[in-house]
Amino acid sequence: MKIAIGSDHAGFKRKKELITALSRMGHRVVDVGCYSEDSCDYPDYAKKVGRAVSLNRAERGILVCGTGIGMAMAANKIKNVRAAVCWNAKTAALASEHNQANVLCLSGRLLSLNEGEKMVQAWLKTEFAGGRHLRRIRKIAQMEQEA
Ligand code: RB5
């Protein structure tokens, strides 16, 4: 799968580790930055990953910042993006199953690499359940039109 990944300075190290893990799993990873631990602004990278997913340049996106929260707030401003901050494998699986989250936002500071890897795996392998959940995400898309 082609996955766009981005971080700010607080997620930089974890992003590098996740890129290695994702490549080992056989995914094609596009790193949109940042490229050092120098302080930078997470919306810049949320925008790059969000746009890559929105424009179908990547099938999924992963964003890492200190908490994952700012990245999700920013990425969700982009059309067609459903970004979810998750804290464990269960919430990551449900983000796919119920919300068809196409961007996963992770904390680089409050989660271990092992937890992060498990979450990414759960999120990628879990299928969207459709049905009533499809109706609900269509309502979210409709809100985008009405805003
Ligand atoms: C940076 O210190 C931090 O605020 C940022 O990485 C993120 O956690 C914001 O949501």
Side-chain angles (χ1 to χ4, degrees), residues 76-131:
N76 277 320
K77 295 289 177 194
I78 295 172
K79 201 171 191 292
N80 305 323
V81 168
R82 289 176 304 280
V85 191
C86 295
W87 292 102
N88 49 42
K90 186 68 188 170
T91 50
L94 284 168
S96 279
E97 191 180 324
H98 287 199
N99 313 106
Q100 202 176 34
N102 48 14
V103 175
L104 179 66
C105 302
L106 299 173
S107 166
R109 287 178 173 155
L110 306 171
L111 293 171
S112 68
L113 173 60
N114 187 255
E115 288 170 312
E117 274 193 49
K118 282 189 177 146
M119 290 165 62
V120 169
Q121 279 169 346
W123 173 63
L124 289 174
K125 79 163 192 231
T126 305
E127 293 194 1
F128 180 50

Side-chain angles (χ1 to χ4, degrees), residues 62-79:
I62 296 175
L63 287 163
V64 194
C65 66
T67 59
I69 295 170
M71 284 295 199
M73 286 181 172
N76 277 320
K77 295 289 177 194
I78 295 172
K79 201 171 191 292

Side-chain angles (χ1 to χ4, degrees), residues 8 11 14 29 49 70-72 83 134 140:
D8 69 356
R14 183 54 36 78
V29 188
V49 166
M71 284 295 199
L134 178 61
I140 298 175

